[in-house]
Amino acid sequence: MSAIEHDPTATTDLTSRVPRRRWLVTGLVLVITTVAFIDRVNLSVAAPVLIREFGTNTAVMGLLLSSFSWTYTLLNLPAGRLVDRVGPRVAYTGALLVWSVASLAGAGVSSAGAMFGPRLLLGVGEAPFIPAAVRTLSDWLPRSERGLASGVFISGVALGSAVGPPILGAVVSAAGWRAGFLVTAALSLVVAVVWFLWYRSPGTDPRLSAAERALIEADQEPVERVGAAPWRVLVRHRDVWALTAGYFCLLYILYTFVSWVPGYLVADRHMTLLGSGFATAVPWLCAVVVTIVGGKLVDLAVRRGLRVVTARKVVLVGGMVAALAILGTALTGSSVVAIVCLSVSTSGISLANGACWAATQDVARRSGLTGSAAGFVNGIANVGGLLGPIVTGYLAYATYSFVVPLVVAAGLALVGALVWLGALRAGEH
């Protein structure tokens, strides 16, 4: 299952001469990722309004914000296996339809307790999301382009988190929080229809040219199916556990940012709801650029001879080190400095996020278990994503500020960097 080294110059000339349908596929995966995170932040944007309307507090809202992760975490492992069985076309279409229904249901609730149902349903629907994305890219991209493709795909996390708050903030300010949920319901439905009608696997896509098919196949690991017991292979693989442990730390920070940054800017920085939406967009837009450019630079380095594992580790560790900038956000008295530090931290998290999924493809492609491996890593690591909003909400409630929660997030960034530096060895054994 280790990644196999290849001639870094073998596909360089071919890349510039063949059609680029694989990048259209990657672009649509980016769109779906963006929609997934717009769906997630609709509650985050509405949270300050709902706290007042439902007569609740940040501790309860932290539980509500994390409830999406309960079903999402529980179902990631079986969802990954499902993606490997039915393929990304069916998995993504079904998932998007569930997202739409969950948002529609959320628009109709009348209490904080009633909102748990739609959020748990959203977690069910988004469980196949990461496995389907990783499997799609693994099928469509040669290894020498996976860094950029993973960067493009995962930049949808930042893009959705960037455009979601200002757009939904404007909708909520103008038409109420229920309208925000209706917007995300319609968006998910439209994308589900587009994906189902347009997407085909490389083996069945009549619009994939022979030249591009040859390029894809020339730089992919040979698939050696492992049969009906994929979990035995995954649980015995050191790199899978190393990726999972570091990703636990990353998701704690990521979900804290996604869930609480708009509320933090309102509570601690005294911004308006609309103003917090636009301010929240700044770090995420920076992350979009950094993630895509970083992925491209990693691919260039690999083509020029840098070992794949070295390239991945540099980005994984460097991204988590950059995330330590959240300490500046916690400790500064300046809102401008806070946003700058938050931008550095968010960019680092996003960059490492893309590298993690490129590394997962490197590790699992040969076994034909890319979806299962993605579900395994994402499912277990999402315990960190589950804890982030809860712990942050409780600590903010107990200390009357977000300083302590942000310092805790910085500590997790350091732990993640050390785990990936010392334990990940993909391709070295």
Side-chain angles (χ1 to χ4, degrees):
M1 283 184 64
S2 63
I4 49 180
E5 299 301 321
H6 67 288
D7 179 359
T9 63
T11 60
T12 303
D13 293 336
L14 275 174
T15 301
S16 62
R17 298 201 304 265
V18 301
R20 295 176 176 268
R21 185 160 184 79
R22 65 198 185 279
W23 292 111
L24 293 177
V25 172
T26 303
L28 193 49
V29 172
L30 164 64
V31 170
I32 295 174
T33 307
T34 302
V35 172
F37 274 77
I38 293 176
D39 281 1
R40 295 188 195 190
V41 301
N42 57 13
L43 181 60
S44 301
V45 172
V49 177
L50 294 180
I51 287 174
R52 294 193 303 270
E53 183 172 324
F54 293 158
T56 185
N57 56 54
T58 57
V60 173
M61 187 56 64
L63 283 171
L64 185 53
L65 286 165
S66 76
S67 60
F68 151 85
S69 298
W70 304 349
T71 47
Y72 181 70
T73 300
L74 183 65
L75 295 178
N76 248 266
L77 273 70
R81 186 58 175 157
L82 177 66
V83 169
D84 281 335
R85 287 183 177 274
V86 305
R89 184 178 182 228
V90 173
Y92 256 150
T93 302
L96 281 156
L97 291 175
V98 176
W99 304 357
S100 182
V101 172
S103 288
L104 188 62
V109 306
S110 56
S111 68
M115 185 64 80
F116 279 96
R119 296 303 287 184
L120 292 170
L121 180 60
L122 181 63
V124 173
E126 290 210 9
F129 149 60
I130 289 289
V134 174
R135 179 58 188 261
T136 301
L137 299 186
S138 176
D139 288 346
W140 272 92
L141 275 297
R143 186 166 51 148
S144 59
E145 294 178 340
R146 286 183 194 158
L148 175 57
S150 295
V152 170
F153 139 60
I154 211 66
S155 69
V157 174
L159 186 59
S161 301
V163 302
I167 292 175
L168 294 175
V171 171
V172 171
S173 296
W177 66 267
R178 297 181 195 278
F181 281 80
L182 293 176
V183 167
T184 56
L187 184 59
S188 297
L189 179 59
V190 169
V191 176
V193 173
V194 171
W195 175 263
F196 182 77
L197 294 177
W198 186 84
Y199 179 81
R200 296 295 184 275
S201 67
T204 61
D205 193 332
R207 293 157 292 190
L208 179 62
S209 69
E212 189 168 15
R213 189 186 306 277
L215 170 65
I216 294 170
E217 294 176 351
D219 189 23
Q220 282 192 335
E221 303 87 338
V223 175
E224 302 169 2
R225 303 290 177 181
V226 300
W231 310 123
R232 293 182 185 177
V233 175
L234 297 176
V235 299
R236 295 174 181 174
H237 203 296
R238 169 175 167 167
D239 286 336
V240 170
W241 284 109
L243 288 168
T244 302
Y247 204 53
F248 173 99
C249 300
L250 186 151
L251 288 182
Y252 180 99
I253 305 165
L254 176 63
Y255 280 41
T256 295
F257 288 0
V258 169
S259 299
W260 280 113
V261 164
Y264 156 73
L265 293 176
V266 171
D268 279 23
R269 298 294 170 179
H270 309 296
M271 294 185 182
T272 65
L273 179 63
L274 187 58
S276 73
F278 283 100
T280 298
V282 173
W284 293 114
L285 289 174
C286 292
V288 171
V289 176
V290 170
T291 304
I292 294 175
V293 172
K296 179 64 173 178
L297 292 176
V298 169
D299 283 346
L300 288 173
V302 169
R303 289 176 191 167
R304 294 179 181 178
L306 185 67
R307 297 188 71 216
V308 173
V309 63
T310 303
R312 303 291 187 235
K313 288 182 74 169
V314 166
V315 178
L316 288 167
V317 176
M320 294 300 271
V321 170
L324 287 168
I326 195 61
L327 285 172
T329 300
L331 301 177
T332 184
S334 166
S335 294
V336 173
V337 174
I339 294 296
V340 170
C341 292
L342 188 59
S343 298
V344 174
S345 184
T346 304
S347 296
I349 289 298
S350 185
L351 189 61
N353 204 350
C356 182
W357 294 121
T360 301
Q361 293 173 62
D362 297 336
V363 167
R365 175 68 189 175
R366 282 189 67 162
S367 64
L369 296 176
T370 314
S372 297
F376 184 93
V377 172
N378 202 44
I380 297 176
N382 255 278
V383 175
L386 186 155
L387 291 174
I390 296 175
V391 174
T392 300
Y394 175 77
L395 290 176
Y397 177 70
T399 63
Y400 302 99
S401 111
F402 282 86
V403 172
V404 172
L406 293 178
V407 171
V408 171
L412 267 293
L414 179 60
V415 171
L418 293 175
V419 167
W420 276 333
L421 179 64
L424 185 64
R425 55 176 188 173
E428 296 181 347
H429 56 287

